[in-house]
């Protein structure tokens, strides 16, 4: 899978590292951030093909990050991961244009499949 660089925004260092290891082992380059603000400080680049973000972050939430990225003209698909899955949250994520929503804990193959679907040429 040619995924370019996948951005991972997760405040839990162990989860962030686990996702990074999974993606790197699958041949996917990553850049990781502990907060939405840390990503926004540098801004995504055109080589970034996908954003994976936790819903609950210190400061801006994952959905607030998505809104800010869109305001800045960033069109990369966003995959939301969360330990707080609910029908209302899923509806809000869909309204915001999230490419995929994965409740924690999720299997690595589910994340890889979500990335592949998000960056497919039809997107």
């Amino acid at each position: 899978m040619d995924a370019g660089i996948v951005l991972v925004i997760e405040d839990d260092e162990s989860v962030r590292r686990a996702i990074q290891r999974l993606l790197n082992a699958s041949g996917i380059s990553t850049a990781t951030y502990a907060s939405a603000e840390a990503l926004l400080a540098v801004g995504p680049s055109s080589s970034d093909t996908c954003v994976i973000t936790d819903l609950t972050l210190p400061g801006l939430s994952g959905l607030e990050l998505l809104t800010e990225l869109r305001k800045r003209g960033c069109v990369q698909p966003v995959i939301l991961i969360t330990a707080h899955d609910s029908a209302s949250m899923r509806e809000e994520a869909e309204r915001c244009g999230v490419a995929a929503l994965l409740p924690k804990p999720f299997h690595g193959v589910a994340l890889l499949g979500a990335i592949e679907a998000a960056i497919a040429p039809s997107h």
Side-chain angles (χ1 to χ4, degrees):
M1 168 185 355
D2 180 18
I5 298 173
V6 172
L7 305 176
V8 178
I9 301 89
E10 167 62 66
D11 60 314
D12 183 323
E13 184 178 359
S14 63
V15 174
R16 189 171 62 246
R17 284 185 178 177
I19 292 171
Q20 183 179 32
R21 281 193 305 270
L22 169 71
L23 299 183
N24 291 165
S26 299
I28 300 170
S29 298
T30 58
T32 63
Y33 301 91
S35 69
E37 291 81 0
L39 169 62
L40 293 171
V42 297
S45 74
S46 60
S47 62
D48 301 328
T49 57
C50 185
V51 176
I52 299 168
T53 183
D54 193 1
L55 171 65
T56 307
L57 296 166
L60 293 177
S61 73
L63 288 176
E64 291 168 330
L65 171 62
L66 170 58
T67 300
E68 183 60 30
L69 289 172
R70 296 301 182 251
K71 284 181 187 175
R72 295 180 181 203
C74 300
V75 297
Q76 290 89 348
V78 173
I79 296 170
L80 191 65
I81 56 177
T82 183
H84 307 286
D85 190 22
S86 69
S88 62
M89 195 273 309
R90 286 181 169 276
E91 290 170 9
E92 183 178 0
E94 189 174 315
R95 276 193 308 274
C96 291
V98 169
L101 178 79
L102 298 176
K104 293 178 184 177
F106 51 83
H107 291 286
V109 72
L111 180 59
L112 293 171
I115 294 168
E116 190 169 347
I119 64 173
S122 65
H123 279 268

